[in-house]
Amino acid sequence: MNGRGESLMPYVNSPEKQRQLYKRTLMIVIASQMFGGAGLAAGITVGALLAQDMLGTDSYAGVPTALFTLGSAAAALIVGRLSQRLGRRVGLAAGFLTGGIGAAGVALAAVFNSVALLFVSLLVYGAGTATNLQARYAGTDLALPTQRAKAISTAMVFTTFGAVAGPNLVTFTGGIATSLGAPALSGPFMLAASAYLVAGFVLLFFLRPDPLLVAKALADAQRAQDNQSNTLPTHTSGAGVNRRGIIVGASVMVLTQIVMVAIMTMTPVHMKHHGHGLGQVGMVIGIHVAAMYLPSLLTGFLVDKYGRKPMSYASGVTLLLAGLLAALAPGDSMVLLVLALALLGLGWNFGLISGTAAIVDATTPETRAKTQGTVDVLIALAGASGGALSGMVVAQSSYSTLSLAGGFLALLLIPVVLWSRRKV
């Protein structure tokens, strides 16, 4: 056995050490997520406004979201494979550090008014978005099946602190940028660069021993024990059931991502057209992001207690209500816009946690990180599509049309989940 394997054996042989490592892993992930959330918020708050200023048109206001979500698709694949091979520590740290470099590039693009640098940097910045999302898996590696949704939600809820602070620091960071001679909209990306770099270093230095490597060692030990006793492995389940679980979990997350990103991306532009200031935009997006993450502990409890499928239904219905309210709310009504975007975030939260738990249920440590990375590629591509199309839909029609279309698209979650209940 190699040195790394020997260093993991105390954890393989001690359930108490496993429990301690599970709790410690959650604490490290929580710390990184608090910073990662702040980095994530920059792009969704001022990305569209920055593109609008630099390109001079609304038609391409969705391009930044499309670019950084497209970049996150490539990053999700790479981070997933790095994690599978070298562990969560290396994969997640690399993703956050790359995202920090991208955020710094976006700020420089704003300073030099370089559209080419903006587009390239947004792609690289997407690595932080992908990593922020994939970090939710790290807490599940050593969790019991009845703890998985809770572990996911614990990691997510602490993203709220950074994610809510980010949009509400738009005016403050804009002031700092202006004092440095840079455009105000570059300020949030300066914050994002710092936040992503800190998140990466937290994981790189403190996520030891690696939870995924310990989980794989546990699976290997269990398999060896099963072989010696001539019994079936305890984790064995029907391959068809696993594939169906992956398909359903991925579908739930992809649909919720398309709807959420499309409506969220164009809300700042819609608000600007109706006379709302940058501070008001930051407040609405901050509340939206809070609704995406803050209810996570309750959602995790509900997903573990009542199941993945009922909460997927709840996601579809909540997103429908969000789309209807966003479409019907007067453009100058802050209260109704806040409520619509809060429901949009809550529906996404329901879908992401129930879908993620379904993916974890359907995989084993031997392939889990790679599968999770592949699924997150689909989620990122869905977000890129939603972001790119949102600006075009609004330019050709209206924000109300976009919101209605998103709300009704979310109802597809119901037949998808019903299909999963059919017997093979």
Side-chain angles (χ1 to χ4, degrees), residues 52 76 82 115 119 129 161 164 200 220 241 243 283-284 327 329 335 367 392 418-419:
Q52 186 186 43
L82 268 178
V115 173
F119 287 174
T129 308
F161 292 96
V164 173
D220 290 342
V241 173
R243 281 197 298 270
M283 186 183 77
V284 169
V335 173
T367 60
M392 297 177 188
L418 286 174
W419 169 79

Side-chain angles (χ1 to χ4, degrees), residues 258-344:
I258 290 175
V259 175
M260 188 275 291
V261 170
I263 297 175
M264 173 202 68
T265 296
M266 294 311 298
T267 297
V269 176
H270 172 68
M271 291 181 67
K272 188 175 179 181
H273 283 164
H274 286 84
H276 296 287
L278 199 57
Q280 291 173 305
V281 171
M283 186 183 77
V284 169
I285 296 300
I287 291 171
H288 164 68
V289 175
M292 288 171 64
Y293 294 101
L294 198 55
S296 295
L297 288 179
L298 177 59
T299 303
F301 168 78
L302 293 173
V303 170
D304 278 336
K305 183 173 178 62
Y306 297 107
R308 286 52 166 149
K309 296 180 180 66
M311 293 306 295
S312 296
Y313 295 140
S315 174
V317 173
T318 305
L319 289 173
L320 172 63
L321 293 174
L324 290 172
L325 188 57
L328 299 175
D332 59 355
S333 173
M334 277 290 292
V335 173
L336 292 180
L337 281 173
V338 163
L339 183 56
L341 269 289
L343 286 172
L344 186 70

Side-chain angles (χ1 to χ4, degrees), residues 85-107:
R85 184 175 179 183
L86 302 174
R88 300 284 188 195
R89 183 178 71 89
V90 173
L92 296 177
F96 273 133
L97 294 175
T98 303
I101 293 170
V106 173

Side-chain angles (χ1 to χ4, degrees), residues 180-236:
L180 296 173
L185 290 176
S186 68
F189 284 99
M190 295 178 184
L191 171 65
S194 303
Y196 275 157
L197 291 173
V198 171
F201 285 124
V202 165
L203 291 165
L204 188 63
F205 293 132
F206 297 108
L207 196 62
R208 302 168 184 267
D210 193 284
L212 181 59
L213 298 182
V214 172
K216 289 166 76 172
L218 281 167
D220 290 342
Q222 181 64 57
R223 190 161 43 248
Q225 183 179 339
D226 291 335
N227 289 337
Q228 288 177 358
S229 58
N230 294 318
T231 60
L232 288 174
T234 57
H235 63 263
T236 298

Side-chain angles (χ1 to χ4, degrees), residues 86-143:
L86 302 174
R88 300 284 188 195
R89 183 178 71 89
V90 173
L92 296 177
F96 273 133
L97 294 175
T98 303
I101 293 170
V106 173
L108 287 174
V111 170
F112 295 109
N113 197 33
S114 171
V115 173
L117 179 60
L118 173 70
F119 287 174
V120 171
S121 297
L122 283 167
L123 282 169
V124 179
Y125 168 74
T129 308
T131 309
N132 196 277
L133 197 57
Q134 280 207 31
R136 74 195 189 279
Y137 290 118
T140 68
D141 290 324
L142 296 173

Side-chain angles (χ1 to χ4, degrees), residues 137 239-254 355-364 367-368 370-372 374-376 378 416 419-420:
Y137 290 118
V241 173
N242 282 342
R243 281 197 298 270
R244 180 170 289 204
I246 292 170
I247 290 169
V248 172
S251 298
V252 168
M253 289 189 284
V254 163
T356 300
I359 294 293
V360 177
D361 291 344
T363 55
T364 60
T367 60
R368 182 166 293 155
K370 187 167 75 171
T371 302
Q372 290 162 345
T374 302
V375 170
D376 277 4
L378 298 177
V416 166
W419 169 79
S420 73

